[in-house]
Amino acid sequence: TTSPSTPHPMCYDWGESSSGAVSVLEGEVGWLFCHLFSHPSVYNYTSAQSTGHNLFWYRLLDGHEVEQPITYRNKSSCSKIAMRLKVLKQDQVVPFTGCEPHSLVAVATTQEFIPFQEGKKLNCPDLKDITTMSETTPTVSWFHKALETSRDNSLMFYNMKEPFQGLYFCVIRYQRRGQVLNFTQSINVSAIYPLMVSKVPSILQPTKDKVFSVRTDSEVSLVCRGLLSFVLGNSASSIWWTVDGKTVEQLANNRFSQKNSVVNNDYGDRTEESVLLIQDFQAEDLNRELNCSVRNSLGFMTRRAQLEKEVSLPSVELGCGLGVILVLMLLLFVVYHVFWLELLLIYRSWFGTDERHTDDKEYDVYISYARNSEEEQFVLSTLRSVLENELGYSVCIFDRDSLPGGTITDETLSFVARSRRLLVVISPGYGSQGSQALLELKAGIDGMALGGHLRVILIQYKPVQRQRWVRELRRARVALATVQWQGNKSKDLTSQFWKRLRVELPVRRVSYSVPLCRSTAEHLYLQS
């Protein structure tokens, strides 16, 4: 703009306008607005004309420095500003998938937000300006997802739904100076939550009762997460931390920094996260006021972070302690797995109860076996001898301890009832129908069922096929303890057979020495 006065004035140059760049597709319409009048407080078009200023447009070609056709004759003041015009070819823009040849858009896309289940009318941008220049009434075509949706000047949404989102294109056709011209604009339509839903911002984390555990001399991260709802007409919203009432920027302390990120964007309602990083956390930082705040045009919310000092355990000492405990537990497991019988015998010898003081039984053990068989020799020469002579038990054997002339059935039942344990030596011939051994077995099982302080112990001298077991023996096998004789391996008193048998027999304290195992050099005071 210039005014008449003295020749050759100095012209104030505003440079190139940052917001005045215009892109036009080759073959379509475009126009420029002088950005000297974008700030009316500085330059007003009406007042500029009243003072005699004139508006001139001139073109500066690439590579040229001479400005034409401006002249400074009789001009006293001058101001100028540059605006860049880009004419784009067909291969320089990204086409939308439309049915019309005018499906290339050079002008920046505008944004429109429509709440769910609400309506809105969209007008094609710049239609009013084009109407003033057109010699005929312009026509407008709307396109969405490769389909022409309307031929009206405006596009109406009666009930917004999710599938209606996306890019919409309006193509304006009009005539000027006998030439048909086209102008294409694009509008990005996005759905947002209904306006009836509360749009006041809120803090999701930390909750009111959340306490951050922190360690001194370490890096501390405090996470704040807020919900910032979209507000039509004013989308400005923010989340931030303050330290003692100052933002991180105002604090100017290198130990404090803040990092923001968008966690989720759900139809315009954003969940944002702000992380306050504190380097080399100190004890005095516990007394600082650390607040997280969120704000949009409808409201404000803040919440203070509660801190507590984390009690640190010495890592080396803790690791060594745990290692020692694990080793000891493993060692105890191995010892118990290998020497569980010995440990059980020692426990019984210290804390077991001598049954002779709690009942009126006469015998500790009654031995039941098949007569006139190989097992009879085992019972008389081995089992009886060790129980009586080595372990100190009182043993009842019917053939030895019964009086002549008595009734076998009555005396058998009497002996079994007067015994604390019934040892049943299982053999292939044991339990034949009508045998005395079967009578002894039935008496023992009945004594256990009636709670008469009698326990039945099965000793398997030789393997017996299961189908040869009598019914009473099959039932007893399920619930009763079985001790297996393993020939020469079981003859020594330190074998598993005798240890297992002593666990099932009554507690008896004797003052003889029996080693727990072959490798043990010590002699212990044992129970049998």
Side-chain angles (χ1 to χ4, degrees):
T1 61
T2 61
S3 65
S5 186
T6 58
H8 307 295
M10 294 298 295
C11 195
Y12 184 79
D13 189 355
W14 288 86
E16 183 177 335
S17 173
S18 60
S19 60
V22 174
S23 297
V24 179
L25 188 65
E26 186 177 36
E28 286 204 341
V29 177
W31 50 84
L32 296 173
F33 295 93
C34 183
H35 275 256
L36 281 176
F37 306 109
S38 60
H39 300 285
S41 60
V42 181
Y43 291 102
N44 184 280
Y45 183 72
T46 303
S47 61
Q49 282 186 320
S50 66
T51 57
H53 283 78
N54 298 318
L55 177 64
F56 291 93
W57 288 92
Y58 60 93
R59 179 184 178 194
L60 180 61
L61 299 176
D62 290 339
H64 290 70
E65 298 182 357
V66 180
E67 300 173 349
Q68 298 293 337
I70 196 168
T71 176
Y72 297 107
R73 186 175 58 243
N74 299 325
K75 307 298 181 184
S76 62
S77 64
C78 174
S79 295
K80 63 179 180 180
I81 190 170
M83 288 160 291
R84 186 170 296 276
L85 173 64
K86 294 182 179 180
V87 180
L88 304 178
K89 295 184 179 297
Q90 300 284 330
D91 59 352
Q92 290 181 288
V93 294
V94 178
F96 74 87
T97 307
C99 299
E100 292 290 320
H102 306 287
S103 56
L104 300 172
V105 181
V107 181
T109 300
T110 58
Q111 182 71 55
E112 291 287 345
F113 298 95
I114 305 177
F116 280 116
Q117 300 177 356
E118 296 186 20
K120 188 174 184 178
K121 179 188 291 186
L122 296 186
N123 295 314
C124 189
D126 301 317
L127 177 60
K128 184 177 180 180
D129 294 330
I130 293 177
T131 302
T132 61
M133 297 183 295
S134 177
E135 299 171 352
T136 59
T137 303
T139 61
V140 180
S141 298
W142 292 86
F143 297 89
H144 176 59
K145 295 181 179 179
L147 297 176
E148 185 175 3
T149 59
S150 174
R151 287 184 177 268
D152 295 330
N153 290 348
S154 60
L155 182 64
M156 185 65 193
F157 291 81
Y158 293 97
N159 187 5
M160 183 61 187
K161 296 182 180 180
E162 184 177 6
F164 299 161
Q165 296 186 108
L167 280 174
Y168 287 79
F169 299 87
C170 62
V171 180
I172 305 174
R173 295 178 180 86
Y174 68 101
Q175 185 173 343
R176 181 178 174 83
R177 296 179 182 177
Q179 184 180 3
V180 177
L181 302 175
N182 298 301
F183 185 72
T184 305
Q185 288 271 42
S186 59
I187 304 174
N188 187 25
V189 176
S190 299
I192 61 174
Y193 278 114
L195 299 180
M196 64 186 70
V197 179
S198 175
K199 302 295 182 178
V200 178
S202 60
I203 294 178
L204 306 178
Q205 295 179 4
T207 57
K208 292 182 179 180
D209 55 352
K210 169 67 176 178
V211 178
F212 294 95
S213 296
V214 296
R215 289 189 299 173
T216 56
D217 302 324
S218 65
E219 181 182 272
V220 172
S221 299
L222 305 181
V223 179
C224 178
R225 185 169 291 186
L227 177 61
L228 301 170
S229 298
F230 182 82
V231 180
L232 281 175
N234 192 338
S235 59
S237 59
S238 57
I239 178 173
W240 72 96
W241 282 92
T242 57
V243 181
D244 295 334
K246 297 181 180 179
T247 64
V248 174
E249 293 77 11
Q250 295 171 340
L251 190 64
N253 189 328
N254 294 333
R255 292 197 302 114
F256 293 83
S257 61
Q258 176 180 297
K259 183 179 180 181
N260 290 5
S261 60
V262 177
V263 178
N264 185 34
N265 192 336
D266 189 13
Y267 298 110
D269 291 354
R270 302 190 320 277
T271 301
E272 293 193 18
E273 186 175 88
S274 181
V275 181
L276 179 63
L277 297 175
I278 306 176
Q279 303 287 341
D280 191 23
F281 191 89
Q282 300 299 315
E284 56 267 23
D285 294 331
L286 288 168
N287 300 322
R288 292 183 180 270
E289 184 177 347
L290 307 176
N291 289 330
C292 175
S293 305
V294 292
R295 171 181 286 156
N296 65 7
S297 60
L298 295 182
F300 168 82
M301 184 178 184
T302 186
R303 182 165 293 159
R304 183 171 181 174
Q306 304 180 56
L307 307 181
E308 67 175 7
K309 187 176 181 181
E310 180 180 322
V311 179
S312 59
L313 297 176
S315 58
V316 176
E317 292 82 351
L318 181 61
C320 293
L322 291 176
V324 171
I325 292 175
L326 290 175
V327 171
L328 289 177
M329 291 179 62
L330 181 61
L331 182 61
L332 290 175
F333 175 78
V334 173
V335 170
Y336 178 79
H337 184 73
V338 176
F339 303 107
W340 69 276
L341 282 175
E342 290 83 348
L343 295 174
L344 185 56
L345 288 173
I346 293 174
Y347 176 82
R348 281 164 52 92
S349 68
W350 289 347
F351 304 104
T353 301
D354 194 333
E355 297 179 26
R356 290 177 295 184
H357 304 310
T358 59
D359 60 28
D360 56 354
K361 302 286 186 177
E362 182 179 350
Y363 301 102
D364 291 319
V365 180
Y366 181 93
I367 303 178
S368 173
Y369 58 95
R371 275 67 174 178
N372 301 320
S373 64
E374 181 181 351
E375 289 74 23
E376 185 174 8
Q377 181 64 25
F378 163 72
V379 170
L380 298 177
S381 62
T382 301
L383 192 57
R384 179 202 60 80
S385 176
V386 173
L387 292 177
E388 288 185 336
N389 301 328
E390 301 293 339
L391 303 180
Y393 288 104
S394 58
V395 178
C396 178
I397 299 178
F398 183 87
D399 296 338
R400 184 193 66 178
D401 298 323
S402 61
L403 297 176
T407 305
I408 294 178
T409 301
D410 294 340
E411 290 196 24
T412 298
L413 297 177
S414 175
F415 281 138
V416 172
R418 289 149 54 192
S419 302
R420 299 183 179 89
R421 301 290 188 273
L422 172 63
L423 291 186
V424 177
V425 182
I426 302 174
S427 61
Y430 186 87
S432 301
Q433 293 296 331
S435 66
Q436 183 178 352
L438 183 59
L439 176 62
E440 295 165 345
L441 176 61
K442 291 181 178 181
I445 294 176
D446 291 342
M448 287 186 64
L450 295 175
H453 300 287
L454 174 67
R455 289 177 54 190
V456 179
I457 305 170
L458 304 180
I459 297 180
Q460 186 168 325
Y461 181 67
K462 285 185 177 181
V464 181
Q465 295 181 356
R466 188 173 181 83
Q467 59 269 24
R468 299 187 61 180
W469 290 20
V470 295
R471 181 180 58 184
E472 291 79 6
L473 198 56
R474 284 197 299 270
R475 292 178 178 176
R477 178 68 176 83
V478 176
L480 302 179
T482 302
V483 184
Q484 293 186 352
W485 175 262
Q486 296 181 345
N488 294 331
K489 292 174 58 177
S490 300
K491 288 184 178 181
D492 197 288
L493 287 181
T494 61
S495 66
Q496 292 291 102
F497 173 80
W498 294 110
K499 293 176 185 177
R500 183 73 176 83
L501 185 59
R502 289 202 300 272
V503 170
E504 303 296 334
L505 292 175
V507 173
R508 190 72 72 247
R509 293 184 175 86
V510 292
S511 58
Y512 60 89
S513 298
V514 178
L516 289 178
C517 60
R518 296 182 183 275
S519 61
T520 305
E522 300 178 0
H523 290 80
L524 301 176
Y525 183 78
L526 296 178
Q527 67 127 24
S528 298

